[in-house]
Structure formats: structure tokens, C-alpha cells
Amino acid sequence: MNNDKQAERLAHCRDYGIRCIKEEAAALIDLISQIDDSFDRAVEMLLHCKGKVIVTGVGKSGNIGAKIAATLSSTGTPAFFINPLDVYHGDLGVMTQDDVVLALSNSGQTDELLRFIPQLLHQKVPIIGMSGNPDSLLAKYSTIHLKVRVEKEACPLNLAPTSSTTAALVMGDALAVALMEVRNFRPKDFAQFHPGGELGKRLLTTARDVMRSDNMPIIPASMRLGDAIIEVSRGKLGLGVSLDSDGRVTGIITDGDIRRAMEHWKEDFFNKTVCDIMTREPKSVLPTTKITEIQRIMHKNKVHSVLVVSKDNRLLGVVDHYSCMI
């Protein structure tokens, strides 16, 4: 291609990208009509699998299969990917009758994939096949076959796997999401499989893990507000906590309370005490309260800090907005 033609086509690269996205989106919409009772049976088989879900595929299908295995594993279904080429070097030994094999092949005729199916049949390992050809050998020998057919690839030559791999990926996601719904898989369950991620940290971290418990700004209810300002400033939390003689929380004042009191009482401000402006039932949580719940409380009540207390309302610490930013 000469430079002029290449430049002309380069000027339309955005159009090519949009066309590709539209064609792949259309392929996904067409996928809806292909979900039938085979999908229901596949979800049920995966749900009741007592062993592992072993995902396999060759080439681009293998790449998609690896992602599907990762999604299943992170959403409560033990799964891992095996390259069919590795099966002949000992990996077949990991498969048992308690496992389920999810095999991907767009044509359903991939030689490397089909070569070890007789072994799976001999070991009575159930197979969920996923292909675009319901008349393929993979479909014939699968316990359950999921049809994932696209009319054409988004590739202008209709050769490179594009729409077909996207459709297979989405079908895998559909299986994973359906299993999550059936299992009633909740955020706390997700966190257990993602302890190193941001979501996992917030779902597993408790008030005890992040609260400040030293040098608490404790102020008696009888303290005059002029003195209370100094104690609140020293505490560097923007608040002061009032306790009774047994260490139980009786109230809290904040920077905002002090400013509003100054505006309201003006020159009489320094004659007032903490008791006059404190909130007598401040927002508080137990040390086992998760960070996600603390964030919800802060957002709902428009507060920047909560007290951490024992079951008998004794002050243990303070969690502020910045402590939750993990």
C-alpha cells in the first residue's frame, strides 16, 4: 500500500474502531437467543461440582478460557485452566470424576482439544463444550453443549477471532454471574477471594484495625468552651469526647459545633461549657464493625468521624474519614 492510500485509511481509523465495536455488540445481542435449557443444565452441573472446574482451549480460545477460569475462581467456583497440549505431559492426572471440564473451541473441531476427550470419557469426567458449531465433534461428545455462534468476525477479512472470542468470554461471564446469583454470593464472599484488592481490604478491615486509640481528646462536660478549643486542637481529630467517671461516652463536640456556638453566643461564648453544645448520642460503632459499614454511617449521617466503643459504651478509639481511605 502506498503512503497516500495508507494516509487516507488512517484518516478513517476511528470509523473502523466504531464499526468493530458495533459488530461485536451485535454478535453479543444475537447470543441471547442461543441461551436455552443447556445453559440451565450447565449452571446446575457447575453448581453441584464436588471437585474442580477445569477450563481448556487452544490458541485464542485458550486465552479466553484462562480468563473464564479466573472469573469462576474469584466468584466462588474453584477452577483453573489447562492447555490441552500439556495434558499429554502429565496434567491429565489432575482430573477426577468429581471434576467438570469446560472446553472451548469456536469450530468445535480443534484437533489438540479433541485428542484427549476419549480419556475424559473413559474417566467419566463430564464435559461442558462451548463452540459455535452444534454439529461438531466437541458438541457430539460433550455432556452439555453451549452454542456460541457468531455470523461473522469483526475482522474485515472475517478471519481473526474477534466477535467469536468476545462471545465466548461473555458466555463464560454469564455462567459465572448465574452461579453467583444461585449461590447468593455476597460482597463479603468476594472479599475472601480478593483480600489483596481495595474491595477486599475495605470489606475485611474493621474499626479496630484503623482506629486511633492513643492521646484521645477527652474533655469533661463541665469544661468551658474556651479551654475545650485548646484540647480539641491538640487532639488533631477535630473533636472532643466527654466521658463519665466510669469511662462511658456521654457526648461529643466538633469543630463545627464550636464555630456555630461562637456565632450564636458571641461574647458570651467563653461562659458556656461543653455540656451546653455537645451531642449526647454521637455516632458510634463496635471495634468489629467493617470499614464499609462505617463509611455508610458517615455518608448517611454526614459526619467525618465515629467513635469506637465497647458493648457497654466505653471509649476505645476514633475512626475518621481518612482512616477509611485504604
Side-chain angles (χ1 to χ4, degrees), residues 29-36:
I29 294 299
D30 292 341
L31 194 62
I32 295 174
S33 62
Q34 300 180 53
I35 293 185
D36 53 20

Side-chain angles (χ1 to χ4, degrees), residues 13-220:
C13 62
R14 186 182 304 178
D15 295 330
Y16 304 148
I18 291 173
R19 183 179 65 194
C20 174
I21 292 172
K22 286 182 176 180
E23 290 183 359
E24 293 203 19
L28 295 183
I29 294 299
D30 292 341
L31 194 62
I32 295 174
S33 62
Q34 300 180 53
I35 293 185
D36 53 20
D37 61 345
S38 294
F39 183 86
D40 299 336
R41 291 188 291 117
V43 171
E44 184 175 6
M45 178 178 287
L46 294 172
L47 177 67
H48 295 300
C49 175
K50 296 179 180 179
K52 309 166 295 295
V53 176
I54 300 169
V55 187
T56 188
V58 178
K60 301 297 188 298
S61 292
N63 295 334
I64 296 300
K67 191 276 179 184
I68 292 174
T71 299
L72 289 170
S73 291
S74 68
T75 53
T77 301
F80 64 89
F81 175 79
I82 285 183
N83 188 316
L85 301 178
D86 295 331
V87 167
Y88 309 106
H89 301 282
D91 283 1
L92 190 61
V94 305
M95 301 183 189
T96 72
Q97 292 182 13
D98 290 331
D99 299 329
V100 173
V101 168
L102 175 60
L104 283 68
S105 168
N106 183 42
S107 67
Q109 298 288 112
T110 306
D111 182 64
E112 297 91 341
L113 188 66
L114 296 175
R115 283 167 56 192
F116 79 96
I117 283 184
Q119 291 293 331
L120 297 177
L121 298 176
H122 177 72
Q123 291 183 236
K124 298 182 179 179
V125 178
I127 305 168
I128 298 175
M130 186 187 297
S131 80
N133 183 3
D135 298 319
S136 64
L137 288 176
L138 176 61
K140 177 180 178 180
Y141 290 108
S142 293
T143 311
I144 300 169
H145 180 255
L146 299 176
K147 180 182 174 184
V148 185
R149 180 181 178 82
V150 299
E151 290 301 318
K152 65 183 294 289
E153 301 287 3
C155 163
L157 303 177
N158 195 28
L159 294 174
T162 46
S163 296
S164 60
T165 48
T166 300
L169 177 64
V170 170
M171 183 63 81
D173 286 343
L175 288 171
V177 169
L179 285 164
M180 290 175 70
E181 293 284 1
V182 172
R183 286 198 177 96
N184 195 30
F185 196 81
R186 308 323 309 161
K188 64 180 179 62
D189 303 312
F190 189 88
Q192 292 176 354
F193 292 94
H194 298 76
E198 179 182 348
L199 175 62
K201 289 180 182 177
R202 288 192 288 112
L203 287 167
L204 297 176
T205 303
T206 65
R208 180 185 286 111
D209 298 323
V210 299
M211 70 182 185
R212 175 176 156 183
S213 57
D214 59 328
N215 299 320
M216 289 287 95
I218 307 301
I219 51 177

